[in-house]
Amino acid sequence: MEREWLSSVLTGTIPLGQAMGLEITRLDDSGISLGLPLAPNVNDKGTAFGGAMASAMILAGWSLPRLLLRRAGISADLVIGRCELRFLEPVGAAFQVHCNWPEADQCQQFLVELTSHGRGRLDLTPWVEHEDREAATLSARYTALAKSTST
Amino acid sequence: MEREWLSSVLTGTIPLGQAMGLEITRLDDSGISLGLPLAPNVNDKGTAFGGAMASAMILAGWSLPRLLLRRAGISADLVIGRCELRFLEPVGAAFQVHCNWPEADQCQQFLVELTSHGRGRLDLTPWVEHEDREAATLSARYTALAKSTST
């Protein structure tokens, strides 16, 4: 149910997720994995385009705080701010992007800060896996912003 | 001629460039600009998806050293390594991505290092423009790697 909902967000409301052929291959207590075929994400060298890997990592990371908000029944905008990308080696085949859940107290803190101060932050480090190695990594801070209400 | 060639690389050999509706809107002595419509690049909030902006900035930056290599008649792989992304404000309409040429001596150095040491580096800072402001920036190092030859 939750997985179907997230899938519809990632590929239904974000056209690039659909164009990339992205699908959720795992969503459990340890984290999320997205699977992507090479063909729609290829570059001129026949390997995965850096922008496609960046997009998939941004979405894998974004999915986790998005699920925290949904589970808590909180309506908030969730944005990515400054982040660092590293491209470590070329990816010449279909690939997986993973993001692990942070510690439970960090997830709790994210929600507490959001509800008490109107802004919650969560640091995440999704990565691209290829042949059992990290092929690319993203270090990103996601910020949830409470929607302004009339006072 | 050069512009048509680059356009065919960005949208012909890179499917995501095509899916994003990317087009070269300027290529001159000061730099390159890419234009992107909002619809294929939108996110769940109705603004430009960070991954689409990242992809367009990566391509705008990549285009400049790629043109340097072509003009010099050098065959080399051109890759992006570590880079920093900043998302500064939401973009709710079609947008432009710009990248300026570095100083001439930096371009020269890039080619000299490549031909003499097999590896040339160029630092570039493409950005997304929206309503005359920077909406996102990328600080990236592009590395050209001479193709290995039999000795």
Side-chain angles (χ1 to χ4, degrees), chain A residues 64-76 78 101 104-122 144 146:
Chain A
L64 298 187
R66 191 66 197 79
L67 288 174
L68 289 178
L69 294 172
R70 185 170 191 263
R71 292 173 186 175
I74 299 174
S75 176
L78 180 64
W101 284 107
D105 61 343
Q106 292 176 324
C107 295
Q108 188 63 28
Q109 185 71 7
F110 166 75
L111 294 171
V112 167
E113 284 183 358
L114 174 61
T115 49
S116 55
H117 303 298
R119 177 184 292 251
R121 299 178 185 83
L122 201 63

Side-chain angles (χ1 to χ4, degrees), chain B residues 23-44:
Chain B
E23 60 179 2
I24 301 171
T25 51
R26 180 181 62 100
L27 177 60
D28 59 24
D29 289 348
S30 65
I32 189 170
S33 298
L34 305 177
L36 292 102
L38 181 61
N41 299 302
V42 77
N43 64 16
D44 62 308

Side-chain angles (χ1 to χ4, degrees), chain A residues 9 13-17 19-20 39-45 49-52 54-56 58-59 62 66 77-87 138, chain B residues 9 13-17 19-20 39-45 49-52 54-56 58-59 62 66 77-87 138:
Chain A
V9 174
T13 69
I14 303 176
L16 219 56
M20 292 163 62
N41 299 303
V42 77
N43 65 16
D44 62 308
K45 292 179 287 292
F49 168 47
S55 294
I58 288 172
L59 289 175
W62 182 87
R66 191 66 197 79
D77 281 332
L78 180 64
V79 299
I80 183 170
R82 184 183 295 243
C83 57
E84 189 178 86
L85 278 166
R86 288 188 306 154
F87 297 104
L138 173 69
Chain B
V9 174
T13 68
I14 303 176
L16 219 55
M20 291 163 62
N41 299 302
V42 77
N43 64 16
D44 62 308
K45 291 178 287 295
F49 167 47
S55 295
I58 287 172
L59 290 175
W62 182 87
R66 192 65 197 80
D77 281 331
L78 180 64
V79 299
I80 184 171
R82 186 183 291 244
C83 57
E84 189 178 87
L85 279 166
R86 288 187 305 154
F87 297 104
L138 173 70

